């Protein structure tokens, strides 16, 4: 009998969420004041949830390992946030956003959750505008929209190339208001190192004060993990260097199933790797694909500068292969297409592992539009280009500046060089419709859960999901659980379960500090990242995955024998922090490879080389693999697979085509 119950409400898809909200058990205002909620992570999902739940009257504690909630990795998101408002009158609707998201995820997402996400998307924009988020606007004052991959409508709201930052500032302001009112306790520079279960129910966490090294016990009637994704298992990714899987992984080892761990998103527009000295990669927003054209030379190993290559000798390969969507195909499709061109010998730059993202054409086009707008007579080519540059600068200026600072090249004059890189993880803790994990009382929101994106996330949907979960989903769904908790008194942190959990954390820390090996933490992280990228990255195959599993097992053994962690436990110790996180990444990496090995199909970001069409596209197996892989931890290197069947009653499953 399956251990998974998605708790999807009965009824028509379009009315499930409305009926749920109308009938879900409630907690009266007086009782909310006695219920305590712990939130781990202060990004969009965490800050939004904390502000919303505190506003409702719950007692909330928020933990983040940064020195301020404003430093959460959500701040790095660039291009935009999706919402089905149909401001452009181009045919958008809740159903179309729902359909695009399911299709974009290669039919591996849960229908009910995705439709709910599409339903609440419009509310997010209204909420953020009310908070003062400075979304871009048209000349007449209306909110502006642009397109992202996998869609044929303009539904992406944006604030230049810093949308994540502006949205996080809005959520942060709401959070700070609740902190100022005393409704939220903020614990910065604290890292959650384990959850505490009492009689099978999550009742709190063990956290480490990263400044003093002191371990702390915290009780909660419910715990919300909003700790982001695990892309740094690859070492090089677009994630902040501090982003990690520890909170989710510790929960997994305490009974929370891990869903679809092998589903990793490779972003097609990143600045290419420049050498072994790098510790992270930099994203160039997908929004650039609105106006930039992607191409490679038609001849192999072309040494000419891109501006010297005439139009007829350029291969706009996305426009050639996918005429209906062109440069705006989904990320997994665009990434594999770039890899294919580079592998075939058409790559550019010194490494030959890059393609061009070119704005030259559009600067001329925008310049001509501006000439018409301003009625400038006898405008020469230089004037046209200058006007066009100003328009491009207004839309993407901070991204162009960032590219120039990193590469030393001016993208206004020379096409950008881009190549795919690890960006987002669709996998995460398995959750039901209420966003609760398989551990009662433990929830996962945002990128920390698996629920909304299937095997590939459409661009501009991460911010949408994080804010949807925090502002509009969890305030309703958690009430269903907490309505039965009003008789549960606060459990003392002297309870045996807290003592045992803290001692276990102490033992792990002491073990890391007493190995006294010869290799640094980064040494092991880099080796893990190379294994993962080479054998469980943009392409996987059975032979490579089996090799990776054995290599990771050997790496884990070597790590626990030869890692060197300097300093002590009772002080600020970044090396100790990194060591614990890398230990978790090593274990996760093994599970990712195990999951990829068991899924004998290609779908979305999971591309098994044995399963592809004659044209090199992903080849799904809907008969045997239309399910969520939910893994139960059974001990070191031992995992049991549970399956949640995916039923599509409102969408016809078809081969995913963008031609």
């Amino acid at each position: 009998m399956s251990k998974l119950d998605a708790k999807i409400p009965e009824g028509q898809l379009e009315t499930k969420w409305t009926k749920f909200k109308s009938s879900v058990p409630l907690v009266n205002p007086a009782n909310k004041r006695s219920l305590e909620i712990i939130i781990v992570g202060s990004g969009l999902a965490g800050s939004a949830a904390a502000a919303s739940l505190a506003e409702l009257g719950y007692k909330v504690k928020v933990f983040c390992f940064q020195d301020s909630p404003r430093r959460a990795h959500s701040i790095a998101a660039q291009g935009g946030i999706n919402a089905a408002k149909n401001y452009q009158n181009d045919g958008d609707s809740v159903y179309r956003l729902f359909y695009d998201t399911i299709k974009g995820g290669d039919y591996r997402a849960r229908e009910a959750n995705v439709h709910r996400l599409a339903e609440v998307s419009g509310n997010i924009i209204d909420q953020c505008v009310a908070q003062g988020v400075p979304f871009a606007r048209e000349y007449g004052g209306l909110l502006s929209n642009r397109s992202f991959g996998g869609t044929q409508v303009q539904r992406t709201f944006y604030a230049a190339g810093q949308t994540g930052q502006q949205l996080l500032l809005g959520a942060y302001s709401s959070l700070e208001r609740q902190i100022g009112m005393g409704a939220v306790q903020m614990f910065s520079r604290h890292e959650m190192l384990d959850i505490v279960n009492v009689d099978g129910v999550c009742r709190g966490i063990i956290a480490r004060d990263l400044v003093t090294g002191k371990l702390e016990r915290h009780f909660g009637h419910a715990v919300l993990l909003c700790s982001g994704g695990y892309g740094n298992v690859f070492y090089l990714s677009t994630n902040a260097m501090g982003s990690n899987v520890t909170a989710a992984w510790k929960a997994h080892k305490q009974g929370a199933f891990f869903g679809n761990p092998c589903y990793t998103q490779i972003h097609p527009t990143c600045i290419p790797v420049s050498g072994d000295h790098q510790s992270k990669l930099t994203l160039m927003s997908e929004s650039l694909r609105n106006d930039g054209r992607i191409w490679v030379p038609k001849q192999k190993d072309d040494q000419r500068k891109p501006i010297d290559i005439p139009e007829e000798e350029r291969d706009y390969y996305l426009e050639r292969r996918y005429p209906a969507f062109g440069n705006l195909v989904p990320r997994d499709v665009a990434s594999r297409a770039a890899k294919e061109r580079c592998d075939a010998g058409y790559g550019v730059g010194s490494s030959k592992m890059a393609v061009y993202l070119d704005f030259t054409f559009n600067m001329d086009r925008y310049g001509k539009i501006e000439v018409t707008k301003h009625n400038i007579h006898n405008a020469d080519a230089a004037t046209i280009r200058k006007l066009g540059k100003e328009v491009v600068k207004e839309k993407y200026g901070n991204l162009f500046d960032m590219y120039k600072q990193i590469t030393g090249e001016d993208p206004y004059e020379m096409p950008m060089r881009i190549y795919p890189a690890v960006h987002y993880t669709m996998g995460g803790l398995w959750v039901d419709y209420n966003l609760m994990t398989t551990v009662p009382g433990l929830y996962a929101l945002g990128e920390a859960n698996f629920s909304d994106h299937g095997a590939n996330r459409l661009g501009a949907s991460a911010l949408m999901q994080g804010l949807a979960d925090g502002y509009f989903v969890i305030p309703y769904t958690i009430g269903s659980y907490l309505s039965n908790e009003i008789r549960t008194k606060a459990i003392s942190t002297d309870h045996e379960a807290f003592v045992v959990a803290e001692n276990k954390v102490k033992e792990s820390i002491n073990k890391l500090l007493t190995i006294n090996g010869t290799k640094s933490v980064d040494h092991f992280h880099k080796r893990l990242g190379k294994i993962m990228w080479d054998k469980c990255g943009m392409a996987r195959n059975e032979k490579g995955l089996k090799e990776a599993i054995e290599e990771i097992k050997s790496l884990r053994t070597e790590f626990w024998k030869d890692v060197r962690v300097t300093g002590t436990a009772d002080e600020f110790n970044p090396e100790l922090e990194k060591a614990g996180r890398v230990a978790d990444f090593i274990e996760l990496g093994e599970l990712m490879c195990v999951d990829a090995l068991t899924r004998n199909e290609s779908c979305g970001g999971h591309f098994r080389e044995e399963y592809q069409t004659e044209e090199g596209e992903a080849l799904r197996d809907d008969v045997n693999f239309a399910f969520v892989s939910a893994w139960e931890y059974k001990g070191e290197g031992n995992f049991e697979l549970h399956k949640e069947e995916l039923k599509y009653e409102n969408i016809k499953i078809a081969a995913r085509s963008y031609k």
Side-chain angles (χ1 to χ4, degrees), residues 286-518:
E286 181 174 314
S287 62
L288 295 172
R289 290 200 275 151
N290 267 274
D291 292 310
R293 300 179 73 191
I294 296 171
W295 63 277
V296 292
K298 286 185 178 180
Q299 71 178 48
K300 294 182 179 181
D301 196 27
D302 196 322
Q303 300 296 323
R304 291 175 292 177
K305 293 181 180 180
I307 55 175
D308 294 332
I309 300 176
E311 185 76 11
E312 63 273 12
E313 295 181 31
R314 301 179 179 189
D315 178 15
Y316 296 94
Y317 59 89
L318 290 178
E319 298 172 31
R320 169 172 57 81
R321 292 179 60 178
Y322 310 101
F325 283 75
N327 295 298
L328 287 172
V329 292
R331 291 174 175 177
D332 60 319
V333 177
S335 294
R336 284 195 297 273
K339 181 178 185 297
E340 183 276 328
R341 287 290 81 191
C342 292
D343 289 348
Y346 297 94
V348 301
S350 58
S351 68
K352 300 303 177 186
M353 297 301 288
V355 300
Y356 289 127
L357 176 57
D358 194 345
F359 273 75
T360 306
F361 168 80
N362 281 295
M363 286 186 201
D364 292 337
R365 179 168 66 90
Y366 278 131
K368 290 173 183 175
I369 293 172
E370 290 296 294
V371 166
T372 302
K373 182 189 296 184
H374 299 298
N375 196 24
I376 300 174
H377 297 289
N378 302 318
D380 58 19
T383 301
I384 289 173
R385 186 169 180 81
K386 180 180 178 181
L387 290 169
K389 179 178 177 180
E390 291 303 313
V391 177
V392 171
K393 186 174 183 179
E394 182 180 347
K395 297 177 73 173
Y396 309 109
N398 66 309
L399 300 173
F400 277 49
D401 292 344
M402 187 164 60
Y403 182 89
K404 184 176 181 179
Q405 289 174 4
I406 292 172
T407 66
E409 299 174 2
D410 186 351
Y412 291 107
E413 304 299 331
M414 190 80 67
M416 293 182 183
R417 288 175 292 106
I418 58 168
Y419 193 71
V422 173
H423 178 56
Y424 187 90
T425 48
M426 286 74 67
L429 293 179
W430 184 92
V431 293
D432 62 19
Y433 189 76
N434 299 320
L435 304 185
M436 188 187 287
T437 70
T438 47
V439 176
L442 179 67
Y443 293 78
L445 282 66
E447 193 178 356
N449 73 35
F450 87 100
S451 70
D452 291 357
H453 306 298
N456 173 65
R457 177 178 68 82
L458 291 183
S461 286
L463 305 184
M464 176 175 63
Q465 186 208 347
L467 291 179
D469 287 356
Y471 282 139
F472 298 108
V473 177
I474 198 66
Y476 285 98
T477 61
I478 201 170
S480 176
Y481 173 74
L482 292 178
S483 64
N484 296 315
E485 289 293 303
I486 55 177
R487 293 181 178 82
T488 301
K489 302 300 181 184
I491 297 173
S492 170
T493 53
D494 291 330
H495 188 284
E496 182 184 4
F498 281 90
V499 176
V500 170
E502 183 180 329
N503 287 336
K504 187 175 72 170
V505 171
K506 282 182 180 177
E507 289 174 11
S508 179
I509 290 174
N510 290 335
K511 185 176 180 181
L512 286 168
L513 289 168
T514 55
I515 294 171
N516 292 322
T518 62

Side-chain angles (χ1 to χ4, degrees), residues 127-146:
Q127 169 91 358
C128 294
V129 169
Q131 290 173 334
V133 172
F135 285 122
R137 293 179 181 270
E138 302 289 359
Y139 180 78
L142 298 177
L143 295 180
S144 180
N145 290 124
R146 56 191 179 199

